Amino acid sequence: MKRFVAVAVAMGCLMTANSASAQDLVHTPISPTFGGNPFNSSHILGTANAQNNTTDPDSVDSSDQSSIFARQLESRLLSALSSQIVDAIFGENPQEQGTISFGGQTIEFFRSLDDVTLIIRDDGTGEETRIVIPLFIEVN
């Protein structure tokens, strides 16, 4: 009898069982870097900046008056120097070539028929920047 009840219960369970259904799991990233919604970027950046408590060890406190004055003075001196260089190249009596050294940098310029080449060289690292300025000749 116990066997008959067990078989009847098993048959009843099999007859009333529905088929199992499932769906695919789909992961949608939040970060726009990985394909997420591009409107999330400002929120994610704001959250990251709020959590960032590190400071730049090389940063200098630029709020004191002496550092502000030093920066302004340096800016004015460099502006005057650049005006002198421009006058030497394009002024009333333009020079064909020249070399100017200041503060660990050397500026050389060479004039040709159709352009002026400036070479700015960092004496400490040896890095070099070349600027070629075309000359426009006025025809009367």
Side-chain angles (χ1 to χ4, degrees):
M1 181 75 166
K2 287 184 182 180
R3 184 185 249 189
F4 178 71
V5 173
V7 170
V9 170
M11 291 293 278
C13 287
L14 285 175
M15 292 172 74
T16 61
N18 293 331
S19 63
S21 64
Q23 63 184 19
D24 292 333
L25 292 176
V26 177
H27 172 72
T28 305
I30 295 172
S31 174
T33 305
F34 302 109
N37 187 344
F39 295 117
N40 290 341
S41 60
S42 61
H43 171 71
I44 292 171
L45 181 62
T47 304
N49 285 336
Q51 294 174 1
N52 184 7
N53 59 1
T54 59
T55 58
D56 184 9
D58 296 332
S59 67
V60 179
D61 183 21
S62 61
S63 61
D64 62 344
Q65 294 295 320
S66 61
S67 64
I68 292 171
F69 177 74
R71 279 197 321 269
Q72 288 179 348
L73 181 63
E74 181 182 22
S75 175
R76 295 282 306 261
L77 290 172
L78 290 174
S79 176
L81 180 63
S82 67
S83 294
Q84 290 176 357
I85 293 171
V86 168
D87 191 43
I89 296 172
F90 301 107
E92 290 182 23
N93 298 317
Q95 300 175 10
E96 295 299 316
Q97 62 183 6
T99 302
I100 299 149
S101 296
F102 69 95
Q105 291 187 339
T106 303
I107 299 175
E108 296 180 66
F109 64 90
F110 305 98
R111 177 184 285 278
S112 67
L113 291 176
D114 53 348
D115 61 28
V116 173
T117 302
L118 286 164
I119 302 170
I120 304 169
R121 192 173 291 120
D122 187 346
D123 297 334
T125 62
E127 292 182 18
E128 184 175 286
T129 303
R130 289 183 181 263
I131 302 171
V132 178
I133 305 164
L135 294 176
F136 300 106
I137 301 172
E138 291 184 19
V139 178
N140 291 332

